[in-house]
Amino acid sequence: MTAEQAPDVRPFLVDLRGVVDLLSRHIYSGPHVFLRELIQNGRDAITARAEHEGRRDAAWGVRIHPPTSVEPALRFEDDGVGLTADEVGELLATVGRSSKRDLFDLPRAGFLGQFGIGLLSCFMIADRIVVRSRSARGGDPVEWVGSTDGTFTVRVLEGAEASGIAVGTTVSLVPRADEAELCSPASLRELARRYAEYLPIPILLGSGDGSFDRIGRPAVFALTGEARADARDDIGGLGREVVGAAPFEVIELHATATDTHGTAFVLPFPPTPGARQANRVYLGGMLVDPRADELLPDWAFFARAVVDSTGLRPTASREHLIEDESLEATRGELGAAIRAWVMRLAVERPARLAEFVGIHHLGLKSLLLHDDELAGFITRWLTVETSIGVMTIDELVRRHPHVRYTETVDEFRQIAGIVPASRAVVNGGYVHEADILRRLPLLFDGVTVERVTVSGELDSLDVPPLADRAAALALESRAGAVLAEVGCEPSVRRFAPSDLASLYLADAEVLRSITRGAARDMTGPLWSGVLGRIDESPATVAGGGGAARAKLCLNWDNPLVRTLAGDVDGAVFDRTIRLLYVQALLAGHRALRARERAMLTDALTDLVTLSLAR
Ligand SMILES: Nc1ncnc2c1ncn2[C@@H]1O[C@H](COP(=O)(O)OP(=O)(O)OP(=O)(O)O)[C@@H](O)[C@H]1O
């Protein structure tokens, strides 16, 4: 070939068997979608006929005839615009060719199809597709027969064969034995309902005796204005179906950007952790995605939406939405509607908002950290655990404008046991809790927050009265000698209730260091060395790990502790202190180390022996 010779331009050759395999295995989720594609083609053909004739007949629809013992083919009839002989060759026999794109190759408004592959999905259940059609534009009817081997025939029907064929199209296919179940009346009904129950055209399922069952119901979820108000009960009923229980609330949704209308149902229970949003999306009344999780913003985890749209775009499989600008804009508008509902609830029905927050508090907590405006409305209705009981943040800041909180659940448990009601402390140990508490000064005028620690609270406990100070100090030093072996330091204080003799208290870092110590005892030399170095590191020592020790807080108001401060026999004193130590550990839900278990057994045995000897 010389440089001047025109290149030999040739089209790609397509092996239809490969295309069918591609569609069935990699594009569509399964063979059942063939019915959706047929219904969609019928619906588009009716739209095209209405355009062509300038009128729409309400009776135009689609009729599905399930296979019978007499007639093994599934027949699918529509009253659409039909096809001429030329169109059949052009549109049905060319993979990827569609009449539903405009001059600029964009999807035509009002039409559901656009990719020019839908009809091929029928090859997933049958080896031959027979299409008979009469065009509304005139001419004789035509028959197109396509096979999985990639061949097709076209013939014009005349005379007796043509008589009785009305304007519209009939697709016939004999399902392969392995797909026969899919074409049973029950399965066809289920599929037609799933995909097309909201299509605004008659969809009739033949029962075999010439009668038809109409499938479909009004798309109440997409109604607006007065019609919506009239359909309140039906919308509530749909909500029960979607949510599995009566929805907490029903919110009207609109997104003008994509002509999307629908309803969000607020869950009456918290969603399971990690659950997807599962919103139902219809395009032009046909189901696209029953579990779309990209329709609403992530934060709207408490709602399940059902919407119908003409502006959102489906993927080629028509089973998902394309993540594009229009979906983003829609998400924004629908999110704004849900947010507006929350705000309205706060102003108009605060008690109901409190109920909502009570149900969804876990998820809402993470949301509030990122949304100041919502936080302003919702935070006060969140409940928190405090040392004087569970209460709303509203009540907390009214009773204690200076909010004292702990960073961990462990610290909270320890502190809650010793602080008086006037110095209530809030448990900030649950997920997001401390972050929310720290933001309270920004949300409420005059509120301040303070993080409290175990050692700080211990320091603020009352000391014994002046007259008893010497005896208390002597008790501390005598008990200190006993507890040195377990690295614990006694501290004599006064706290309620007085029948509580001792408390084991330790800051978070001290507890971590104790855990590392226990691990060191159990692991080999390598880990032992690593864990040891953590305790010796400057950061740990500075943080208290090296110097700070766990405290056994002895209650000066307790009669046993007072007795111990008196003239008690050395052996009895030692054993009693050890028992108080172990008892405090157990009461604080601390795991006993080997040496503490031994301490418990020995102390009990010794005390019993001593008392028997007397
Ligand atoms: N029942 C029908 N009546 C009239 N024309 C039809 C019918 N079914 C298919 N066609 C014509 O055949 C073309 C190809 O149909 P096909 O279902 O393969 O793709 P599509 O509907 O255009 O797009 P999609 O792949 O998105 O469904 C259609 O664009 C339409 O012009």
Side-chain angles (χ1 to χ4, degrees):
M1 187 171 84
T2 63
E4 289 76 38
Q5 270 181 310
D8 183 12
V9 178
R10 290 190 289 168
F12 280 112
L13 300 178
V14 175
D15 179 346
L16 196 54
R17 276 167 307 190
V19 173
V20 170
D21 182 63
L22 184 73
L23 292 179
S24 57
R25 285 174 207 268
H26 305 293
I27 295 190
Y28 295 126
S29 63
H32 56 273
V33 302
F34 85 95
L35 192 72
R36 182 194 66 196
E37 293 302 318
L38 287 177
I39 295 177
Q40 184 180 295
N41 281 348
R43 183 319 206 142
D44 282 349
I46 290 169
T47 305
R49 183 171 179 185
E51 249 179 31
H52 172 73
E53 295 189 10
R55 70 179 186 105
R56 187 172 199 126
D57 189 329
W60 291 343
V62 301
R63 290 168 294 282
I64 307 166
H65 303 265
T68 62
S69 49
V70 185
E71 173 53 75
L74 163 81
R75 277 184 307 123
F76 191 95
E77 285 172 9
D78 70 58
D79 302 313
V81 70
L83 292 155
T84 62
D86 288 347
E87 285 167 341
V88 157
E90 153 94 7
L91 296 166
L92 298 192
T94 313
V95 174
R97 182 67 52 87
S98 172
S99 61
K100 303 164 194 173
R101 290 195 292 256
D102 63 17
L103 278 179
F104 305 100
D105 218 22
L106 293 170
R108 276 176 67 197
F111 288 85
L112 300 171
Q114 53 174 298
F115 299 106
I117 56 172
L119 195 64
L120 288 179
S121 64
C122 294
F123 284 132
M124 290 192 280
I125 62 150
D127 294 329
R128 240 163 60 101
I129 308 172
V130 179
V131 177
R132 286 183 160 208
S133 190
R134 184 189 286 277
S135 172
R137 297 181 176 90
D140 288 326
V142 61
E143 180 187 81
W144 176 90
V145 181
S147 306
T148 15
D149 62 9
T151 60
F152 69 91
T153 59
V154 182
R155 91 196 157 87
V156 173
L157 303 175
E158 287 166 329
E161 272 196 311
S163 73
I165 297 185
V167 168
T169 302
T170 302
V171 180
S172 309
L173 22 105
V174 179
R176 280 192 302 271
D178 54 334
E179 300 296 357
E181 186 47 39
L182 206 56
C183 296
S184 68
S187 159
L188 292 170
R189 177 185 308 278
E190 200 273 310
L191 290 174
R193 274 221 184 107
R194 185 192 314 170
Y195 288 116
E197 64 181 338
Y198 295 122
L199 260 196
I201 57 164
I203 296 181
L204 305 169
L205 182 66
S207 53
D209 60 4
S211 66
F212 285 94
D213 223 11
R214 184 163 176 172
I215 284 171
R217 52 176 171 166
V220 286
F221 60 87
L223 291 174
T224 56
E226 240 173 70
R228 187 177 175 89
D230 293 344
R232 233 181 102 134
D233 292 347
D234 291 336
I235 296 175
L238 175 67
R240 267 190 292 280
E241 264 174 54
V242 171
V243 167
F248 179 83
E249 199 81 36
V250 173
I251 307 168
E252 188 172 344
L253 297 177
H254 299 289
T256 43
T258 48
D259 186 27
T260 301
H261 303 278
T263 301
F265 300 104
V266 177
L267 299 179
F269 43 72
T272 46
R276 291 179 53 198
Q277 277 205 8
N279 301 297
R280 250 197 249 172
V281 181
Y282 294 83
L283 294 189
M286 290 279 296
L287 179 69
V288 167
D289 193 345
R291 302 183 61 77
D293 54 5
E294 62 288 78
L295 182 75
L296 298 181
D298 285 345
W299 58 256
F301 62 90
F302 48 80
R304 296 284 173 270
V306 182
V307 302
D308 189 31
S309 173
T310 55
L312 292 170
R313 291 181 51 216
T315 57
S317 71
R318 297 195 66 84
E319 288 167 24
H320 300 290
L321 295 174
I322 291 181
E323 180 62 65
D324 59 5
E325 278 167 16
S326 49
L327 178 54
E328 201 182 325
T330 305
R331 197 165 38 231
E333 282 194 69
L334 301 185
I338 296 177
R339 216 153 160 276
W341 165 76
V342 176
M343 308 281 195
R344 247 191 344 266
L345 213 55
V347 176
E348 292 166 11
R349 296 156 70 202
R352 187 80 173 140
L353 179 72
E355 225 180 299
F356 165 71
V357 174
I359 296 170
H360 294 291
H361 65 109
L362 271 183
L364 286 173
K365 280 177 184 167
S366 70
L367 163 61
L368 299 185
L369 295 177
H370 306 110
D371 191 323
D372 286 343
E373 199 180 350
L374 265 188
F377 284 85
I378 288 184
T379 308
R380 65 175 65 243
W381 303 111
L382 290 173
T383 53
V384 282
E385 184 183 10
T386 77
S387 54
I388 47 171
V390 173
M391 63 181 76
T392 61
I393 286 186
D394 194 45
E395 194 182 347
L396 173 75
V397 295
R398 266 191 290 114
R399 288 170 66 174
H400 300 275
H402 180 64
V403 177
R404 292 156 26 86
Y405 72 96
T406 65
E407 281 284 349
T408 68
V409 177
D410 198 292
E411 286 176 302
F412 172 75
R413 294 221 175 102
Q414 297 185 60
I415 295 173
I418 53 172
V419 287
S422 58
R423 292 171 51 79
V425 63
V426 186
N427 184 357
Y430 297 127
V431 185
H432 305 311
E433 211 100 349
D435 293 328
I436 289 178
L437 292 168
R438 273 193 289 271
R439 298 185 72 206
L440 293 184
L442 302 175
L443 303 172
F444 299 93
D445 284 345
V447 168
T448 48
V449 289
E450 176 195 355
R451 182 199 160 176
V452 297
T453 59
V454 175
S455 48
E457 289 309 290
L458 180 62
D459 287 346
S460 66
L461 286 181
D462 287 345
V463 290
L466 207 54
D468 297 338
R469 213 52 74 74
L473 277 176
L475 172 62
E476 259 179 19
S477 100
R478 210 175 159 195
V482 180
L483 295 176
E485 62 167 306
V486 284
C488 181
E489 211 171 88
S491 173
V492 179
R493 299 285 161 148
R494 302 179 66 187
F495 52 87
S498 58
D499 54 3
L500 192 64
S502 61
L503 273 174
Y504 178 86
L505 299 175
D507 275 323
E509 181 47 43
V510 174
L511 287 173
R512 280 195 286 274
S513 166
I514 290 171
T515 313
R516 282 196 293 272
R520 237 185 355 245
D521 292 345
M522 289 189 311
T523 51
L526 174 65
W527 276 111
S528 234
V530 173
L531 293 168
R533 275 197 292 283
I534 296 177
D535 279 337
E536 287 152 18
S537 76
T540 312
V541 173
R549 306 166 87 193
K551 293 268 167 68
L552 182 71
C553 191
L554 297 167
N555 189 359
W556 190 249
D557 291 340
N558 178 270
L560 173 65
V561 173
R562 287 286 185 91
T563 309
L564 285 173
D567 185 19
V568 179
D569 168 74
V572 174
F573 181 87
D574 282 14
R575 299 333 182 252
T576 310
I577 288 293
R578 283 178 189 159
L579 276 183
L580 284 178
Y581 169 71
V582 176
Q583 187 193 26
L585 279 180
L586 291 173
H589 304 287
R590 307 277 161 220
L592 296 188
R593 293 169 289 177
R595 102 179 75 136
E596 286 147 359
R597 279 197 300 274
M599 210 180 207
L600 173 64
T601 320
D602 294 350
L604 275 175
T605 315
D606 291 352
L607 280 177
V608 172
T609 314
L610 280 170
S611 67
L612 287 177
R614 281 209 180 122

